Amino acid sequence: MTRGKVLFIDNNGQLYSSTEFNGDMYPEGNGNEVIESFMAGFFEDYSHFIRFVELFNKHHFGYESELLEELSCDKHIISIKDNLTDYLYIINTSVKEWIIIDKHGNPSYLTANTMAIVYYKEVERLVHRCIEETFIFNSNELECEEFVSIIDRLRETSDLVDKVDELFRNSRENIENDFCNAAGLQISHESVVVKLLKKLMHDKHEWIDYFIYELDYGRNYEPGMIKEADGTNIDLSSAEALYGYLKSYCENKRGE
């Protein structure tokens, strides 16, 4: 099994590491999700890194142990001479240049907005990300009422599937009938609908996925459980609140 970790250097130069994920962590496997998320601009700060690791673990591994740890490094240097993990994905979002020292003592320079893909004790390649992009939120593309209506229909369908699944689980007559699985009643293109919503709402950080799959359409939300890097509370208690947050995020980015 190919093992791997994701290392993250935040805006303040603090280094963090995910737990070691054991399974298909090479760049063409599960590691590709780390690379694609980095290129899409997902890793902006530590809070986004935490959420990525949690979702990544839930989708692929389901570990119940601690997923993150804080590491100490001196003088912005990371030594991989003693690394025993197959792959490391090291992401630098700080303004400082970091140096990675391989098993031969050779340096690789990790500039801002750059990821190093490390295979065992050597840097395999560096991936650079362009952070210049335009955030334009046009309310005419998707009104709040339309967005909420789509989310509500997805939630209602999901609830119906759960109820019917429960009926079949309790029915001894249907226990052998695979075709009776209620999943067949679910919207067959749900993933496509979610993907289109994310594109329309410029949701590059997958808040819509988080709202639907982690917060169960906001029903698992509690005040204070999600915060910005500065401690500001993020309200994801409803589809309306989610729409408002996505809209304000785009507007804030456009004003920077």
Side-chain angles (χ1 to χ4, degrees):
M1 301 292 283
T2 305
R3 301 163 298 164
K5 295 181 180 179
V6 185
L7 275 61
F8 178 77
I9 305 166
D10 72 6
N11 301 327
N12 299 316
Q14 178 59 54
L15 177 64
Y16 300 91
S17 173
S18 73
T19 189
E20 183 177 72
F21 294 110
N22 189 6
D24 298 332
M25 286 299 293
Y26 48 89
E28 295 77 20
N30 290 331
N32 187 55
E33 186 173 332
V34 182
I35 299 170
E36 287 188 346
S37 296
F38 170 72
M39 293 301 294
F42 190 91
F43 300 96
E44 281 194 351
D45 54 40
Y46 180 59
S47 64
H48 291 141
F49 173 63
I50 293 174
R51 194 157 58 83
F52 173 84
V53 171
E54 290 175 344
L55 289 173
F56 185 75
N57 174 63
K58 182 171 183 177
H59 292 163
H60 300 291
F61 299 97
Y63 297 157
E64 296 183 358
S65 57
E66 187 67 36
L67 296 177
L68 298 166
E69 65 173 319
E70 184 176 315
L71 303 179
S72 60
C73 275
D74 295 328
K75 301 178 182 179
H76 302 96
I77 297 175
I78 299 174
S79 174
I80 56 175
K81 294 179 180 179
D82 300 320
N83 174 52
L84 298 177
T85 301
D86 295 310
Y87 277 96
L88 297 176
Y89 300 88
I90 307 175
I91 300 166
N92 182 16
T93 64
S94 72
V95 297
K96 298 285 187 179
E97 180 179 75
W98 284 61
I99 301 175
I100 302 173
I101 306 297
D102 68 14
K103 65 179 182 180
H104 304 293
N106 298 324
S108 293
Y109 299 95
L110 193 64
T111 56
N113 296 300
T114 302
M115 168 193 283
I117 301 176
V118 173
Y119 177 59
Y120 197 40
K121 299 182 180 183
E122 295 183 280
V123 175
E124 188 173 88
R125 61 189 167 107
L126 298 175
V127 180
H128 301 276
R129 179 182 69 194
C130 178
I131 61 174
E132 293 182 1
E133 61 178 304
T134 303
F135 288 84
I136 301 175
F137 187 92
N138 185 350
S139 61
N140 292 326
E141 292 180 353
L142 195 63
E143 297 288 351
C144 181
E145 292 77 8
E146 296 173 310
F147 177 81
V148 171
S149 176
I150 294 170
I151 293 292
D152 284 348
R153 293 190 67 178
L154 289 174
R155 186 194 67 243
E156 290 166 2
T157 303
S158 176
D159 289 347
L160 176 60
V161 168
D162 290 341
K163 290 178 180 178
V164 177
D165 274 344
E166 182 65 25
L167 287 174
F168 283 125
R169 280 195 297 269
N170 294 332
S171 173
R172 297 179 63 183
E173 295 179 0
N174 291 318
I175 197 168
E176 300 295 334
N177 296 342
D178 291 339
F179 65 86
C180 288
N181 190 332
L185 298 176
Q186 196 166 9
I187 296 177
S188 59
H189 301 301
E190 177 185 288
S191 62
V192 176
V193 174
V194 173
K195 185 174 182 178
L196 288 172
L197 283 176
K198 288 161 61 178
K199 197 165 189 67
L200 284 169
M201 300 297 294
H202 307 285
D203 180 22
K204 67 175 185 177
H205 295 309
E206 300 188 344
W207 287 109
I208 294 173
D209 294 75
Y210 185 71
F211 175 80
I212 291 174
Y213 302 115
E214 298 299 310
L215 297 181
D216 190 21
Y217 295 92
R219 289 178 287 203
N220 293 335
Y221 173 82
E222 295 180 6
M225 69 185 303
I226 312 166
K227 295 184 178 181
E228 298 279 14
D230 61 2
T232 303
N233 184 61
I234 298 176
D235 182 7
L236 296 182
S237 59
S238 65
E240 291 90 341
L242 172 62
Y243 182 92
Y245 176 72
L246 292 172
K247 180 179 179 180
S248 65
Y249 180 85
C250 290
E251 290 175 344
N252 289 338
K253 282 294 181 181
R254 184 174 56 186
E256 291 180 355

